[in-house]
Amino acid sequence: MRAFVLCVAACAVLMGCTPVVSQRGYLQDLDNEAGIDPATDTKTTIQQRLGYPSTEATFGSDAWYYISSVEKQIAFFHPTVESRAILAVYFDKNGKVTDIKHYTLEDGHVVDFETRETPSRGKELTFLQQLFNATPGVPIGAPTGNPGPSPHP
């Protein structure tokens, strides 16, 4: 009986460590993508064929991006991106397709965000210091009584 309980407990622990794989974003349909003709397709036909894009270009050329990714997460650890595929459809000023490109995770660049903070003047107060500071603009520990008459008239 004890061996059975240990076996069940071990199976439960192992099932908790089973990776969860999730597909996110656009689901690729290679047949639909192969049917795109840059000579005749427009934004309307692309939207009918592929649906709404995941995102659109903000600057520069007019482009739609269909983004899909596969992520794997084990237990409580951060998920890792297993694969990413981006279909980029470029349009001219009249809305006709000019080019189609496929990008993968290997085509991307790692961007390091700056985590430093710009120093500001003054002193940071804790929540309790702010709460108990009854006089705005007077720092904690400064004299709060009447300073009295000025020695010079």
Side-chain angles (χ1 to χ4, degrees):
M1 180 67 179
R2 185 174 179 175
F4 176 73
V5 171
L6 287 175
C7 183
V8 170
C11 288
V13 168
L14 289 175
M15 286 186 346
C17 294
T18 302
V20 176
V21 178
S22 58
Q23 168 77 36
R24 299 177 185 264
Y26 169 71
L27 296 176
Q28 283 187 304
D29 186 356
L30 298 177
D31 293 333
N32 264 343
E33 293 173 14
I36 296 174
D37 183 20
T40 59
D41 279 324
T42 63
K43 286 185 177 184
T44 306
T45 59
I46 295 297
Q47 186 175 1
Q48 290 171 351
R49 185 179 303 226
L50 302 177
Y52 289 99
S54 302
T55 188
E56 296 180 22
T58 306
F59 302 107
S61 65
D62 192 10
W64 286 0
Y65 300 100
Y66 293 88
I67 304 169
S68 65
S69 65
V70 176
E71 294 181 352
K72 181 172 84 170
Q73 182 175 5
I74 299 174
F76 53 83
F77 296 107
H78 290 290
T80 58
V81 177
E82 295 292 311
S83 66
R84 180 172 295 138
I86 300 172
L87 170 67
V89 183
Y90 298 97
F91 301 97
D92 64 8
K93 62 183 177 193
N94 298 325
K96 292 189 93 173
V97 175
T98 58
D99 196 11
I100 300 166
K101 300 248 187 216
H102 288 87
Y103 300 104
T104 63
L105 199 56
E106 290 79 27
D107 296 321
H109 300 284
V110 176
V111 178
D112 290 330
F113 291 103
E114 186 60 52
T115 57
R116 294 182 299 170
E117 293 181 13
T118 303
S120 61
R121 295 176 48 142
K123 175 178 146 186
E124 288 190 30
L125 300 176
T126 65
F127 173 73
L128 291 176
Q129 288 173 328
Q130 293 177 13
L131 184 66
F132 293 124
N133 190 6
T135 310
V138 177
I140 293 178
T144 56
N146 186 0
S150 175
H152 300 288

